[in-house]
Amino acid sequence: MYGSTLSQRQVLRRSALFARLGDSEIDALLADATVARYAQGDQIVAKGDPGNSMMAVLKGRVTISAPSPDGRQVVLTVMRDGEVFGEIALIDGKERTADVTAASDCEILVVPRRSLLALLDRRPDVGLDLMVVLCERLRHTNEQVEDLAFLDLESRIAKVLVRLAEENDAAGRVGAAPIGVKISQRALGELVGGSRESVNKHLQEWKRAGIIAVEKGSIVIRDIEALAAFG
């Protein structure tokens, strides 16, 4: 659980946006914040909702996705412990630009927009940190657009799996041991812009080659260098 102020401080400090704040400044944000809990599959934010807060993942994973008129979802990114989202609405106060869904049971810290704007008034340097965070988001989005335009599905799947493996490998074991990536084939398809059936076809080919193992709800990468060669 992340009920203590100390734990919440530690999570916020993982974000570049809050890394330079002192304990008293973070505690002032936490005093106005609330913690919301969601079960896997719950919708946290819907596109078009009022943009009156910024959120941080205290525990679990969430997906940020864009809905299409026919009901399909294109996953833009996956957020994990310590990552923040909702920065765009924080700045302009307008509607949410995407859907946010709990990819696992999770706890979300909700910080009101007014508290963050007050912080920006006191600490203009945090505004520069916010610009850096937004630039990173934009670069990631640009890369996704380029991948969809220029890479085939097999390359996109490999690239995403390698990136997720590197993000999950906190101990720095990449290349030394199998690495598990907790993601369903449906979610992977949404992330790379392909159907579950098409994704499964490539996964089964890599499984037969000994590059990966497919388990319920996860993919174990046995040879990350071989997988990276496809991306």
Side-chain angles (χ1 to χ4, degrees):
M1 299 296 288
Y2 283 85
S4 72
T5 298
L6 177 59
S7 296
Q8 292 174 0
R9 271 192 215 145
Q10 292 170 339
V11 169
L12 285 183
R13 283 220 171 88
R14 294 180 197 171
S15 167
L17 184 57
F18 301 111
R20 293 194 290 178
L21 295 183
D23 288 349
S24 62
E25 291 169 312
I26 290 183
D27 289 348
L29 290 177
L30 293 176
D32 291 333
T34 58
V35 175
R37 294 173 175 82
Y38 298 91
Q40 181 177 355
D42 286 352
Q43 186 169 59
I44 300 170
V45 168
K47 182 178 181 179
D49 282 353
N52 53 15
S53 63
M54 191 183 72
M55 303 181 185
V57 182
L58 294 177
K59 181 181 179 182
R61 293 174 292 118
V62 305
T63 57
I64 314 294
S65 60
S68 67
D70 62 4
R72 291 179 297 117
Q73 294 279 340
V74 175
V75 176
L76 304 175
T77 191
V78 178
M79 297 286 183
R80 295 172 175 78
D81 294 13
E83 294 189 284
V84 299
F85 57 95
E87 304 95 332
I88 294 177
L90 163 66
I91 294 174
D92 62 17
K94 295 182 180 179
E95 297 177 345
R96 301 291 188 187
T97 59
D99 289 348
V100 182
T101 306
S104 67
D105 293 349
C106 58
E107 296 179 3
I108 305 296
L109 184 73
V110 183
V111 184
R113 180 171 182 259
R114 64 178 184 277
S115 301
L116 290 157
L117 292 180
L119 172 65
L120 293 176
D121 282 339
R122 297 191 305 270
R123 292 283 304 269
D125 56 317
V126 175
L128 294 176
D129 292 334
L130 177 58
M131 290 173 61
V132 171
V133 170
L134 290 174
C135 286
E136 289 176 351
R137 296 273 195 270
L138 182 58
R139 286 180 184 274
H140 176 69
T141 300
N142 287 345
E143 183 178 1
Q144 280 188 303
V145 171
E146 290 176 359
D147 287 350
L148 287 170
F150 301 127
L151 297 182
D152 59 23
L153 180 60
E154 183 179 53
S155 298
R156 297 200 302 272
I157 297 169
K159 187 173 181 178
V160 166
L161 286 177
V162 169
R163 174 173 59 80
L164 293 175
E166 290 173 343
E167 290 174 356
N168 288 353
D169 187 45
R173 297 176 295 102
V174 167
I179 303 168
V181 175
K182 290 184 179 181
I183 190 169
S184 68
Q185 293 184 37
R186 177 180 176 181
L188 181 59
E190 292 174 344
L191 200 54
V192 300
S195 68
R196 183 190 181 283
E197 292 75 15
S198 298
V199 168
N200 180 263
K201 173 179 176 290
H202 292 295
L203 293 180
Q204 293 303 319
E205 290 174 354
W206 293 336
K207 178 181 177 180
R208 287 192 291 271
I211 297 173
I212 66 168
V214 179
E215 299 179 355
K216 185 177 181 180
S218 67
I219 297 166
V220 178
I221 300 174
R222 299 189 179 281
D223 189 341
I224 197 166
E225 292 183 357
L227 185 61
F230 288 95

